[in-house]
Amino acid sequence: MIEALHKILSNRFQEVYVDGKEHRFEERETISLAFHGQFYRFEQFKEVIKEDMTDHFITVVPDTEKDKSELSLTHHYNSAIKNDGFQLRINENREIEVETGSLRGFRYAIEALTLLVQKKDHDIVCPIAEINHTPSFSIRGVIEGFYGVPWTNEDRVDLLRFLGKNQMNTYMYAPKDDELQRKRWREKYPEEKLDEFKTLLAIAEEEKIDFYYMISPGNDIDYTKPSEVEVLTDKLQQLIDLGVRHFGLLMDDIDYQLKGNAKIRFASAASAHGFLIKQVDDFLKTALEDYTLVVCPTEYDNAHGSVYLKELTEKVSPNIPFFWTGPSTLARRITTQDIERMADVYKRPMIIWDNVPVNDFEKDYERIFLSPYENRSKQLADPRFQVEGVVSNPMAQWELSKLTVHNMGKFLWDVGSFDTYLSWIETVKALVGEEYTEALLTFAQFNPNRHSRETYTAFYLNKLQSQDHDFVDKQLARLKEAVEVLKELPHEGFQKQVAPWFERVDKDIALWKKIKSGDQSKIKEEVKKLQDHPYRIGIDLPAKYIEMHHLLEQE
């Protein structure tokens, strides 16, 4: 019992204490739990936890039925507990005490409780135990910030459910190709789009996810005209009226050379940007008693200080967080030295906009990136560096992005115990089940994120250079076998998004057969066919073989 509990709990929570003592309720299908809330006055269980716990053998009843209940639960407020953490204690008197600093933390405590209460034969068992956990970062989630076709609202609904289920708490709406968010930022949203936002906000509230609306006016706003700022704030008011209170002002990917009247009024781009940020911040202070504003500077991927960042930092309130993508836009790694340097530059709270597993750079859209969350220093969680959290910028293929996002969530939940290799296996198993784990690990191996790890290692290059046909045969057979297993995975969304890459595997195998035949005309003919197939496997052994041996250049 103790070993089994530790196996279930120790990989998820920082402190787990069990000693073998338990409460056993014999011949029971369910047990009742009397709830008493002291987090706020008149707190009721049904108001703070939406899930029906009967699936976990527990029926929740009012505190007035405490004398007739098997267990009692009291929820206390504890301001010292940060980052949605919790303390859960089950004592020998069948009393459960939960302390949290937020209602989201209470949700996590209840999830821990459902893992503790188990069915054993015909009995229900509740161990005497204590679990304490504080997530490593206060902001944990996703920014929809990629170029290309934005997600559907169905994708976003699924995303919010996914974040809530996996202990993440933030979604930022910032699709580059929502024209009303960027190119046509001055225009109001139509009613049908506002209805979509309403749906997302309702689900975000239910899942306890902070919903951020981000706007990008920097391409053409006239900083010198009060009417322009008014148009911007009117647009934000549209979202405020829906219930949004978390906002982002994005000045990324713009030409920040001042022109015209702006060049006359402001000495630098940083001065103009600081002026606009202050106008937006002042507006939000007037419109909302409680709000959040985050900012993405135009220089968001520096590995060092700059005049722009120095001036912007001086002009913007130190309470407003800035985004940073790491030492490059698509950072291969973020080291302790990197964060030490940039924390000293920013001198304020920082949110890492992590561009993984996004595939919108150059021709990355032809590929899918199925790698773990890797090469990020655990020291990002050191309070000295003021990193409030990390948001992943995923691929347009949301279903396939879940792998890296889920794995990142484990890093953010408890950076101290995060093991890249073991956590990756746990992620794959959690998302597709034991039956498909090995196949998906194999398929992912052939589709690495080229920005976080080397695509063709020396091992692959040596095998290809030596014309080891047997090696390529076996590798392609492994890949094909994995694809055939994954085709049976009962997940419509996954199958729809991955299908073009499954098809590409067959085309690569056909090309390899032509390569082995040695017929140059057939090789060229097969390559020409593939030019019309805009999907490719990351580790494309036939294509790399052709390149290394100059087969297309031979007569």
Side-chain angles (χ1 to χ4, degrees), residues 374-433:
E374 56 192 348
N375 299 327
R376 271 58 180 153
S377 170
K378 292 186 177 185
Q379 297 305 312
L380 294 177
D382 189 321
R384 291 179 300 153
F385 304 136
Q386 298 190 72
V387 177
E388 291 196 338
V390 184
V391 287
S392 159
N393 188 18
M395 299 181 284
Q397 296 80 14
W398 161 236
E399 286 295 340
L400 305 183
S401 299
K402 286 180 178 178
L403 285 161
T404 303
V405 173
H406 182 280
N407 199 235
M408 181 193 75
K410 295 173 76 66
F411 176 91
L412 301 177
W413 178 249
D414 186 13
V415 70
S417 67
F418 184 79
D419 179 290
T420 302
Y421 174 73
L422 295 178
S423 72
W424 181 236
I425 296 173
E426 292 168 2
T427 281
V428 174
K429 192 177 298 184
L431 293 184
V432 300

Side-chain angles (χ1 to χ4, degrees), residues 75-203:
H75 178 210
H76 303 276
Y77 173 68
N78 184 340
S79 62
I81 299 176
K82 307 299 183 183
N83 295 357
D84 305 324
F86 68 88
Q87 296 176 358
L88 167 67
R89 295 179 293 275
I90 305 173
N91 66 27
E92 296 185 2
N93 298 323
R94 299 186 178 182
E95 297 169 336
I96 303 171
E97 301 281 336
V98 171
E99 296 185 34
T100 72
S102 70
L103 291 177
R104 195 182 285 125
F106 181 56
R107 171 180 178 163
Y108 301 154
I110 297 304
E111 291 172 354
L113 177 63
T114 61
L115 293 172
L116 284 168
V117 179
Q118 299 181 22
K119 196 75 177 288
K120 298 291 184 182
D121 298 323
H122 299 290
D123 302 340
I124 295 175
V125 176
C126 177
I128 294 171
E130 180 175 347
I131 299 177
N132 303 315
H133 189 87
T134 300
S136 300
F137 298 86
S138 62
I139 292 176
R140 311 177 300 279
V142 161
I143 182 165
E144 183 184 349
F146 52 83
Y147 290 92
V149 178
W151 288 330
T152 66
N153 238 42
E154 289 74 19
D155 286 332
R156 296 181 185 118
V157 168
D158 184 69
L159 163 73
L160 292 170
R161 300 291 188 199
F162 182 85
L163 294 178
K165 180 181 178 181
N166 291 288
Q167 294 83 45
M168 287 177 273
N169 61 14
T170 302
Y171 166 64
M172 296 177 171
Y173 178 91
K176 290 289 194 293
D177 289 325
D178 170 5
E179 292 196 346
L180 297 182
Q181 187 272 343
R182 191 174 182 88
K183 185 177 180 180
R184 294 157 48 204
W185 63 269
R186 293 177 178 83
E187 300 177 31
K188 297 286 186 67
Y189 283 106
E191 284 301 319
E192 58 267 25
K193 185 64 178 180
L194 294 178
D195 287 341
E196 290 183 358
F197 281 134
K198 288 177 185 176
T199 298
L200 296 178
L201 284 165
I203 295 171

Side-chain angles (χ1 to χ4, degrees), residues 157-255:
V157 168
D158 184 69
L159 163 73
L160 292 170
R161 300 291 188 199
F162 182 85
L163 294 178
K165 180 181 178 181
N166 291 288
Q167 294 83 45
M168 287 177 273
N169 61 14
T170 302
Y171 166 64
M172 296 177 171
Y173 178 91
K176 290 289 194 293
D177 289 325
D178 170 5
E179 292 196 346
L180 297 182
Q181 187 272 343
R182 191 174 182 88
K183 185 177 180 180
R184 294 157 48 204
W185 63 269
R186 293 177 178 83
E187 300 177 31
K188 297 286 186 67
Y189 283 106
E191 284 301 319
E192 58 267 25
K193 185 64 178 180
L194 294 178
D195 287 341
E196 290 183 358
F197 281 134
K198 288 177 185 176
T199 298
L200 296 178
L201 284 165
I203 295 171
E205 182 177 5
E206 182 180 337
E207 294 289 344
K208 296 181 172 56
I209 304 298
D210 292 334
F211 180 100
Y212 284 71
Y213 174 77
M214 328 294 275
I215 194 162
S216 304
N219 276 312
D220 60 0
I221 190 169
D222 188 334
Y223 302 98
T224 67
K225 291 183 178 179
S227 59
E228 286 278 86
V229 176
E230 185 177 355
V231 170
L232 175 60
T233 56
D234 284 349
K235 180 71 167 282
L236 297 182
Q237 186 66 53
Q238 213 185 9
L239 280 299
I240 289 172
D241 292 341
L242 297 180
V244 178
R245 61 177 62 255
H246 303 285
F247 293 92
L249 185 60
L250 308 183
M251 309 301 288
D252 56 321
D253 299 351
I254 64 172
D255 176 6

